[in-house]
Amino acid sequence: MKEISYYPGCSLHGTAREYDDSIRGVLSLLDIQARELEDWTCCGASSAHCTDEDLAVDLAARNLAIAEKSNRELLVPCVACYSRFKVAENEVKEHSKKSRFSYHGNVPIRYSLDFFCDEPILDEVKKKRVKPLTGLKVVCYYGCLTVRPPKLTGIREYENPQHMDRLMEALGAEPVQWSYKTDCCGASLVMTRTDIVRKLGERLLSMAKEAEADCLVTGCPMCQANLDMRQEEFEKETGEKYDLPILYFTELMGLALGHKDVKKWLGRHLTDPVKVLSSKGLI
Amino acid sequence: MDLNQKGSSFLSEVVQASGETLQACYQCQKCSAGCPVAFAMDILPNQVLRHIQYGHREKVLSSKTIWICASCYSCSVRCPNNIDIAKIMDTLRTLALHSEFKPGEKDIPIFHSAFLDTIKSKGRIHELSLILQFKSKTRDFFKDAALGLKMYRKGKIKLLPSKFSGGKEIKEIFNAFEKGART
């Protein structure tokens, strides 16, 4: 059985519990053992880098130093944590920045979406798929830090990424094309400038509806929280009814792979995904 | 270009702190055209770079723009001169916090300080603690209260923070930050 280190990050212990549960569920179906980093702490996103560069690097490096003690790759499901880790890695490796922890830039840092889109895993998913998501139209929403900046993420198609689309196809779903794959949802301003976030969120939801999607799929806990939990508020503002479920890609993986807890994960959403999935005969 | 003594010193301060050669900006405005939050800014990203070149320290450090920037990196990846504008925004926020100027946005820097206070005391971001900390600083207790209740019902709010034993190291990180804070 393959083993990886796992850094859940703060959101996955709170608002994004279903993301944590579905990742662990899917990993176990793929015979991958996730070892949670012992005694991990917050990576510092999204405030440390707005305040002090050394603080930002140290908060990330503390966790990376723990991960470096083993020679396993590090799976990071929150894209904000991933981005801060990649920045710290780059500072230490390319700019010889010293952190106060014993971290040398030697641990492979893998964002969850990239990890699950590796060819061998995609092949395994196709093999183990028990319920193809036939007839489910999805828009793949990558957001900002999944792809940007490409010098850190290594994503070559950063203006029009395709890897989540390929994963959705492997699950049997139909990814529909839209032009908002990598547009920002503004989640970092959700507590402070809700007015800005509302404008960005409304546009994403209405464009996803225009593309005739049944749901929007993401791997970012901030995007998910923003678009799912604030959707009713956006609807009140515009008078439009979006009713668009915002799903984690791992929840759809769990559904296609026949995980027993899918309903439990979906039950935590504020915008109900069960209705549309059952209308397609998927649940 | 009018680079008087004061002007060039702000320019070199930003260049040095960010490591970015923002002198290379030739005002193509691609950064501002693609910025998703430009509509809420008081000066556009390309204008920020121009003001820095001209040494307009107060104009830049007291702007709303540097706080509204959502760090989405659209500008950075599209700049034909490879200027990492999002990184410069981080540098400007740090400089603004240590300047004599009042921040152009009230709540955003307060949020960041509440966020860091939460890490300092709990090691991780316990969302409920962060929200309460932020609200006690802004005195806006009712905003999003109904949403909070819905989230609680869905099991999305964890009432107690997790235990961790890395407190000593976190304390050291923050001690260094507080001592080494630039003046």
Side-chain angles (χ1 to χ4, degrees):
Chain A
M1 186 184 264
K2 185 181 167 159
E3 282 195 359
I4 49 164
S5 297
Y6 180 56
Y7 174 88
C10 306
S11 298
L12 278 80
H13 276 207
T15 45
R17 266 176 71 185
E18 65 272 27
Y19 191 19
D20 189 42
D21 290 344
S22 57
I23 287 176
R24 291 175 193 270
V26 169
L27 285 172
S28 75
L29 292 179
L30 296 172
D31 294 322
I32 300 168
Q33 173 86 41
R35 301 241 175 247
E36 186 164 331
L37 277 198
E38 216 170 296
D39 237 357
W40 59 268
T41 43
C42 175
C43 71
S46 39
S47 293
H49 69 92
C50 294
T51 308
D52 184 85
E53 194 186 329
D54 290 345
L55 176 68
V57 170
D58 276 344
L59 285 171
R62 180 183 178 275
N63 297 296
L64 295 171
I66 300 172
E68 210 171 64
K69 283 183 195 156
S70 82
N71 54 8
R72 296 188 284 260
E73 51 186 339
L74 176 66
L75 183 67
V76 185
C78 169
V79 78
C81 306
Y82 170 68
S83 188
R84 295 326 307 168
F85 286 170
K86 291 300 281 186
V87 169
E89 177 191 52
N90 187 55
E91 287 298 319
V92 167
K93 267 176 119 162
E94 305 299 326
H95 302 287
S96 315
K97 184 150 187 121
K98 296 267 174 286
S99 94
R100 58 181 50 248
F101 299 99
S102 172
Y103 167 64
H104 310 93
N106 294 331
V107 53
I109 305 165
R110 301 299 313 278
Y111 171 52
S112 54
L113 177 65
D114 301 344
F115 177 85
F116 285 113
C117 288
D118 279 349
E119 282 299 327
I121 297 210
L122 278 187
D123 290 343
E124 188 78 0
V125 166
K126 281 181 210 157
K127 241 189 275 164
K128 292 193 167 165
R129 191 179 75 180
V130 292
K131 190 187 287 173
L133 307 181
T134 313
L136 187 69
K137 287 182 167 181
V138 303
V139 281
C140 293
Y141 179 53
Y142 296 77
C144 312
L145 302 174
T146 309
V147 292
R148 285 189 299 265
K151 65 179 177 196
L152 296 183
T153 62
I155 302 286
R156 276 153 62 192
E157 300 158 306
Y158 57 87
E159 292 283 8
N160 185 15
Q162 302 292 335
H163 48 306
M164 197 198 300
D165 296 62
R166 283 195 292 272
L167 175 62
M168 289 301 123
E169 277 166 8
L171 301 178
E174 184 192 333
V176 287
Q177 290 310 308
W178 70 321
S179 302
Y180 293 82
K181 281 181 171 177
T182 62
D183 279 35
C184 178
C185 78
S188 64
L189 299 167
V190 76
M191 296 282 298
T192 49
R193 286 295 304 267
T194 319
D195 56 324
I196 296 177
V197 172
R198 202 178 290 144
K199 277 215 167 97
L200 302 182
E202 283 163 11
R203 195 179 53 178
L204 289 169
L205 294 172
S206 59
M207 289 300 122
K209 291 304 272 189
E210 202 172 291
E212 299 183 343
D214 299 313
C215 60
L216 178 148
V217 188
T218 181
C220 171
M222 273 80 53
C223 300
Q224 199 282 341
N226 189 17
L227 297 174
D228 175 38
M229 297 196 271
R230 301 245 165 212
Q231 195 167 133
E232 200 180 320
E233 186 184 321
F234 299 160
E235 286 176 343
K236 274 187 195 145
E237 184 72 16
T238 55
E240 300 245 350
K241 191 82 184 136
Y242 302 114
D243 209 6
L244 186 77
I246 312 295
L247 293 162
Y248 289 110
F249 68 92
T250 44
E251 293 177 310
L252 289 181
M253 288 181 82
L255 183 60
L257 295 171
H259 198 283
K260 61 179 177 24
D261 292 336
V262 173
K263 273 196 173 158
K264 210 189 306 174
W265 309 336
L266 300 179
R268 293 193 187 281
H269 291 240
L270 266 70
T271 307
D272 176 33
V274 175
K275 204 166 49 189
V276 68
L277 293 174
S278 64
S279 79
K280 306 270 171 189
L282 298 172
I283 205 161
Chain B
M1 196 185 294
D2 174 23
L3 289 179
N4 58 33
Q5 193 54 44
K6 211 177 162 198
S8 65
S9 78
F10 182 49
L11 172 63
S12 51
E13 190 181 3
V14 179
V15 168
Q16 207 189 352
S18 66
E20 294 297 312
T21 45
L22 63 97
Q23 302 94 318
C25 170
Y26 51 45
Q27 293 293 311
C28 72
Q29 304 185 21
K30 219 173 167 186
C31 50
S32 302
C35 175
V37 288
F39 68 88
M41 289 176 166
D42 51 357
I43 35 179
L44 295 171
N46 67 294
Q47 294 172 327
V48 169
L49 297 190
R50 195 53 144 189
H51 279 303
I52 299 170
Q53 291 171 343
Y54 278 137
H56 298 159
R57 195 164 185 272
E58 178 169 5
K59 179 89 181 172
V60 172
L61 296 186
S62 61
S63 69
K64 290 176 176 297
T65 297
I66 60 173
W67 297 106
I68 283 174
C69 162
S71 302
C72 79
Y73 288 96
S74 297
C75 50
S76 303
V77 302
R78 290 174 186 167
C79 175
N81 293 312
N82 282 322
I83 305 171
D84 189 344
I85 302 150
K87 189 173 180 195
I88 292 172
M89 293 293 179
D90 274 349
T91 302
L92 295 172
R93 289 184 273 248
T94 304
L95 292 175
L97 288 175
H98 295 101
S99 77
E100 64 275 33
F101 310 121
K102 205 174 133 203
E105 279 286 316
K106 187 175 118 312
D107 287 354
I108 300 173
I110 295 177
F111 176 79
H112 292 317
S113 108
F115 195 99
L116 293 175
D117 284 351
T118 311
I119 304 177
K120 190 179 164 185
S121 63
K122 304 199 162 46
R124 297 177 186 172
I125 290 297
H126 173 241
E127 288 152 341
L128 186 60
S129 302
L130 168 62
I131 290 166
L132 293 176
Q133 174 96 333
F134 176 65
K135 286 188 177 292
S136 75
K137 289 188 181 201
T138 55
R139 310 242 137 239
D140 185 1
F141 291 100
F142 296 105
K143 189 184 165 199
D144 292 332
L147 179 61
L149 192 63
K150 266 190 224 155
M151 287 165 64
Y152 175 71
R153 289 205 187 108
K154 288 283 182 181
K156 281 188 171 275
I157 294 187
K158 194 173 164 191
L159 291 178
L160 294 173
S162 352
K163 288 205 174 78
F164 82 110
S165 56
K168 199 172 142 264
E169 286 170 2
I170 291 294
K171 214 171 154 189
E172 282 168 15
I173 295 176
F174 277 91
N175 277 345
F177 159 59
E178 281 153 15
K179 261 194 232 147
R182 269 173 273 184
T183 49

